[in-house]
C-alpha cells in the first residue's frame, strides 16, 4: 500500500521516508501533499484496525496489543521517529479485580450474594467493615445551588450510609449533562465528600445475575485516601436495617425528600478479591521539525474500543477506527513531505491513545508523564469518529459537515485559523452544536483533547456525532463508513495541522479553561 510512485512524482529529491534533509528539495504545494491521503488507504487500514483479528481492541487485551503493533509498524515504515524517549509505545498500568467472596450480615443474619446484595468491585477494597448503626439519608442528594442537602445536620464521617435510588419528583434537576447528581455515582461521591466509610444503595432487580468473575478495569489503585466501599442491596435487606417503615419511606420518597435518621443495626460488610495488574499503551511517533524543533504540534485519536462480549465483537470502525486511520494517513503525508525536503517547522507528534472508552486513561497518563514539554505544545488536534453521518441531521449539508469543539476556548487564535483553513482548502460545513457551553452532552470534557486542555494546551476536537444506529454496537463495521467523507474530514485536520506546524509563532494561550456546565 505504500505510495512509491506518488512519492517519486512529488518528491524527486529523495527515494525514501527517512527523516534526513534532502539535497536541493523541490517545494511542493500543500494540496499535492494532502492528495497522498487517499480513500483507498484509509479503507485498507480500517479493515485491519476494525477487523475480527483485533477483537474490538479493548484496553489491556490481546486485541489492543495487536492494534498497537500494527500502528507502530506503520509509523516505523513511513519514517516517524519514536515519540517516547526512544520507544514507539508508552506503557501505563491497568488494574482488574477478581471476586473471591463477599458477605453481608445485619444483626447476625447473613444475606446472599446476588440474591440480596452486590458489591462494586472497583470501589470496594478487600477486608471487613463493622458498623453498630447506619445513617439513612434518603436520596443522598447534595446541591448547594438548589439549597438541598439530604444529610441535614447528621455527621456521617466514618459511618455507613444507606440511600434510596433515584430522586423525588419534587427535585427539579437542571441540565447537568452526563453526570447527574441523582445517579448512583453522584450519590456515592456526595457521601464520600462527607466522609462516609461505606455507601449502601437500595436498588431494584434483585435477585440479580451473578457478578462476572472479573470486575471492571481501573487505573487508580493507589490513592491518597481509601475510597468508601459501595454495595447495592435489595429492599428486603434494607428493611432488616431500617425496619418495616422502609416501604412507607420509599413510597414517600417518590414525591418528596426524606429527613435523615440513624438506625441501630449491627452491619458487617466483607469483600475478598484478587487485584491483577495489566498494562496498556499509547502509540506515538513524530516528524522532526526544521527550525522550530523545540516546539510541538500533537495529533491524537483513540484506537481502543469495547472489545468482545462473549463471542460478539464490537468492531469500533467509526469509534474510533476512523480517527485512528485518519492520523495514520496524516502522519504519512507529513512524513512524505519531510522526506522530500518540505517538512514542518515544528515537530509533529502523532499519537494513537488507548483507554479512552474506559475514562480517557491513555491521554491522562500522557499528560502527566509527557515526554515533550507541554508548555511547548502549540495545540492538540483530536479526532474521535469522522467516518459516519449523524442520523438526526436533516439539513442539505448532511454529507459535507463536521462537528467542531473547543476552537473558541483557551485561545482566540484557534477559531480564525480553523475557519480560514477550511474556507481555503476543504469547505466543509463546520457545525458548532456540541461546542455550546449549555449543550447537555458536555463533549468538550469527554474526549482525549481535554487532558491537553487542562494542561493549558489549545485544542480542536473533530467529531461526526453520537446519534448513529450503530454507536457502541457490534454493527459499527468498516463497510458502513463513508470513505469519501472520511477523507475530506482527514484533509481538514491535515491542512489545519500544516498551518499550525508552520506558523511563525505558537498559538496564543489567552483564555481560561472553562468549567463544565451544571
Amino acid at each position: 500500500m505504500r505510495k512509491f510512485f506518488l512519492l517519486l512524482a512529488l518528491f524527486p529529491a529523495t527515494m525514501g521516508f527517512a527523516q534526513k534533509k534532502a539535497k536541493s528539495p523541490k517545494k511542493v504545494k500543500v494540496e499535492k501533499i494532502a492528495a497522498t491521503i487517499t480513500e483507498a488507504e484509509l479503507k485498507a487500514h480500517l479493515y485491519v484496525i476494525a477487523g475480527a483479528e483485533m477483537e474490538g481492541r479493548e484496553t489491556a487485551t490481546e486485541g489492543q496489543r495487536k492494534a498497537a503493533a500494527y500502528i507502530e509498524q506503520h509509523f516505523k515504515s513511513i519514517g516517524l521517529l519514536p515519540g517516547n524517549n526512544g520507544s514507539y509505545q508508552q506503557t501505563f498500568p491497568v488494574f482488574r479485580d477478581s471476586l473471591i467472596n463477599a458477605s453481608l450480615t445485619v444483626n447476625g443474619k447473613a444475606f446472599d450474594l446476588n440474591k440480596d446484595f452486590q458489591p462494586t468491585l472497583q470501589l470496594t477494597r478487600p477486608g471487613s467493615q463493622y458498623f453498630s448503626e447506619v445513617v439513612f439519608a434518603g436520596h443522598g442528594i447534595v446541591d448547594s445551588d438548589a439549597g438541598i442537602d439530604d444529610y441535614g445536620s447528621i455527621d456521617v464521617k466514618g459511618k455507613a450510609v444507606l440511600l434510596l435510588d433515584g430522586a423525588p419528583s419534587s427535585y427539579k434537576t437542571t441540565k447537568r449533562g452526563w453526570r447527574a447528581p441523582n445517579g448512583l455515582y453522584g450519590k456515592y461521591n456526595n457521601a464520600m465528600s462527607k466522609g462516609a466509610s461505606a455507601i449502601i444503595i437500595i436498588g431494584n432487580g434483585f435477585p440479580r445475575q451473578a457478578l462476572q468473575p472479573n470486575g471492571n478495569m481501573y487505573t487508580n489503585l493507589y490513592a491518597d485516601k481509601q475510597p468508601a466501599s459501595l454495595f447495592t442491596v435489595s429492599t428486603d435487606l434494607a428493611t432488616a436495617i431500617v425496619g418495616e417503615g422502609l416501604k412507607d419511606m420509599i413510597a414517600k420518597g417518590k414525591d418528596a425528600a426524606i429527613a435523615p435518621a440513624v438506625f441501630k443495626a449491627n452491619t458487617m460488610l466483607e469483600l475478598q478479591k484478587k487485584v491483577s495488574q495489566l498494562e496498556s499503551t499509547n502509540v506515538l511517533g513524530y516528524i522532526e521539525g526544521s527550525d522550530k524543533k523545540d516546539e510541538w504540534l500533537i495529533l491524537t485519536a483513540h484506537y481502543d474500543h469495547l472489545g468482545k462480549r462473549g463471542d460478539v465483537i464490537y468492531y469500533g470502525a467509526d469509534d474510533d477506527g476512523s480517527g485512528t486511520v485518519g492520523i495514520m494517513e496524516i502522519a504519512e503525508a507529513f512524513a512524505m513531505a519531510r522526506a522530500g525536503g518540505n517538512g514542518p517547522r515544528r515537530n509533529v507528534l502523532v499519537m494513537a491513545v488507548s483507554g479512552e472508552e474506559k475514562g480517557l486513561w491513555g491521554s491522562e497518563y500522557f499528560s502527566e508523564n509527557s515526554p515533550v514539554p507541554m508548555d511547548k505544545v502549540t495545540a492538540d488536534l483530536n479526532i474521535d469518529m469522522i467516518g459516519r453521518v449523524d442520523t438526526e441531521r436533516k439539513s442539505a449539508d448532511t454529507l459535507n459537515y463536521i462537528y467542531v469543539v473547543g476552537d473558541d476556548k483557551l485561545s482566540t487564535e484557534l477559531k480564525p485559523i480553523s475557519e480560514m483553513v477550511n474556507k481555503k482548502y476543504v469547505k466543509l460545513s463546520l457545525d458548532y452544536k456540541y461546542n455550546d457551553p449549555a449543550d447537555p452532552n458536555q463533549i468538550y470534557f469527554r474526549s482525549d483533547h481535554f487532558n491537553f486542555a487542562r494542561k493549558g494546551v489549545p485544542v480542536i476536537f473533530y467529531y461526526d456525532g453520537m446519534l448513529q444506529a450503530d454507536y457502541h454496537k457490534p454493527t459499527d463495521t468498516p463497510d458502513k463508513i463513508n470513505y469519501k467523507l472520511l477523507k475530506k474530514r482527514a484533509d481538514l485536520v491535515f491542512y489545519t495541522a500544516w498551518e499550525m506546524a508552520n506558523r511563525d509563532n505558537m498559538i496564543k494561550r489567552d483564555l481560561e479553561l472553562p468549567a463544565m456546565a451544571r
Side-chain angles (χ1 to χ4, degrees), residues 230-511:
L230 176 60
F231 284 71
T232 305
V233 302
S234 67
T235 303
D236 287 344
L237 192 153
T239 300
I241 297 173
V242 175
E244 292 300 325
L246 177 65
K247 294 180 180 179
D248 292 336
M249 292 180 185
I250 293 175
K252 177 184 177 183
K254 293 179 181 180
D255 301 315
I258 301 174
V262 177
F263 292 88
K264 293 292 184 180
N266 291 334
T267 305
M268 186 275 287
L269 310 171
E270 184 176 57
L271 180 74
Q272 298 175 20
K273 66 179 182 180
K274 175 185 177 182
V275 180
S276 300
Q277 181 168 340
L278 312 173
E279 66 180 26
S280 189
T281 61
N282 300 320
V283 187
L284 55 168
Y286 75 98
I287 301 95
E288 188 177 34
S290 55
D291 62 315
K292 293 183 176 293
K293 294 181 182 180
D294 64 331
E295 297 176 4
W296 298 79
L297 171 69
I298 300 181
L299 309 179
T300 52
H302 76 88
Y303 72 98
D304 66 296
H305 193 56
L306 304 182
K308 296 174 66 176
R309 302 296 183 267
D311 294 328
V312 178
I313 298 173
Y314 287 68
Y315 293 93
D318 192 35
D319 185 14
D320 182 31
S322 61
T324 300
V325 301
I327 63 169
M328 290 170 69
E329 279 289 283
I330 293 169
E332 186 166 347
F334 269 104
M336 290 174 66
R338 177 68 170 80
N342 297 284
R345 299 177 67 186
R346 291 177 179 81
N347 302 316
V348 178
L349 180 70
V350 183
M351 179 167 63
V353 302
S354 68
E356 191 274 349
E357 298 287 2
K358 304 290 188 182
L360 314 185
W361 291 350
S363 57
E364 180 182 23
Y365 187 85
F366 177 89
S367 70
E368 298 297 337
N369 303 273
S370 176
V372 305
M374 296 296 270
D375 62 343
K376 290 294 185 178
V377 178
T378 187
D380 169 59
L381 305 182
N382 183 44
I383 310 172
D384 191 349
M385 300 166 57
I386 56 169
R388 296 287 295 274
V389 172
D390 186 334
T391 51
E392 286 204 353
R393 285 184 67 87
K394 305 299 181 183
S395 58
D397 65 2
T398 296
L399 295 179
N400 193 52
Y401 80 96
I402 186 70
Y403 292 118
V404 177
V405 178
D407 66 346
D408 62 345
K409 300 168 176 64
L410 294 178
S411 175
T412 56
E413 290 185 335
L414 273 179
K415 189 168 187 174
I417 292 171
S418 171
E419 293 187 337
M420 177 275 293
V421 168
N422 179 62
K423 182 178 181 180
K424 183 176 181 179
Y425 295 110
V426 187
K427 297 178 175 61
L428 280 165
S429 175
L430 305 183
D431 192 322
Y432 298 104
K433 170 184 175 181
Y434 291 109
N435 198 47
D436 184 347
D439 182 76
N441 296 287
Q442 296 290 284
I443 294 296
Y444 182 72
F445 304 92
R446 291 179 53 186
S447 192
D448 293 303
H449 55 272
F450 182 67
N451 280 318
F452 292 89
R454 66 186 183 85
K455 292 294 185 179
V457 177
V459 303
I460 301 179
F461 177 43
Y462 302 91
Y463 181 53
D464 62 23
M466 64 178 60
L467 297 171
Q468 300 174 10
D470 303 304
Y471 176 69
H472 277 193
K473 294 181 180 179
T475 48
D476 180 9
T477 50
D479 58 297
K480 296 178 180 177
I481 297 296
N482 184 323
Y483 289 96
K484 181 178 180 179
L485 188 54
L486 170 56
K487 186 264 191 297
K488 194 168 187 179
R489 289 163 170 169
D491 283 348
L492 173 61
V493 180
F494 167 75
Y495 282 120
T496 306
W498 186 267
E499 172 68 22
M500 291 183 175
N502 289 290
R503 289 168 55 82
D504 288 337
N505 300 310
M506 288 178 56
I507 302 296
K508 287 193 300 187
R509 303 181 179 189
D510 55 350
L511 298 175

Side-chain angles (χ1 to χ4, degrees), residues 90-105:
Q90 181 187 48
T91 302
F92 59 90
V94 175
F95 302 95
R96 190 168 206 168
D97 298 325
S98 300
L99 178 65
I100 298 174
N101 186 43
S103 58
L104 198 161
T105 66

Side-chain angles (χ1 to χ4, degrees), residues 146-223:
I148 296 173
D149 187 344
D150 286 346
Y151 293 83
S153 60
I154 297 180
D155 181 8
V156 298
K157 187 175 295 183
K159 297 184 178 182
V161 173
L162 180 68
L163 304 172
L164 294 174
D165 196 11
S169 59
S170 59
Y171 177 59
K172 305 298 184 183
T173 59
T174 57
K175 287 186 176 180
R176 298 171 184 275
W178 63 307
R179 287 180 176 171
N182 56 321
L184 186 147
Y185 291 106
K187 294 172 182 290
Y188 175 82
N189 289 330
N190 286 340
M192 275 274 291
S193 69
K194 290 182 172 291
S197 291
I199 294 98
I200 305 170
I201 306 287
I202 305 171
N204 298 315
F206 284 98
R208 295 181 173 182
Q209 290 185 342
L211 288 171
Q212 294 297 317
N214 292 322
N216 293 330
M217 299 177 189
Y218 56 99
T219 58
N220 57 336
L221 177 64
Y222 296 95

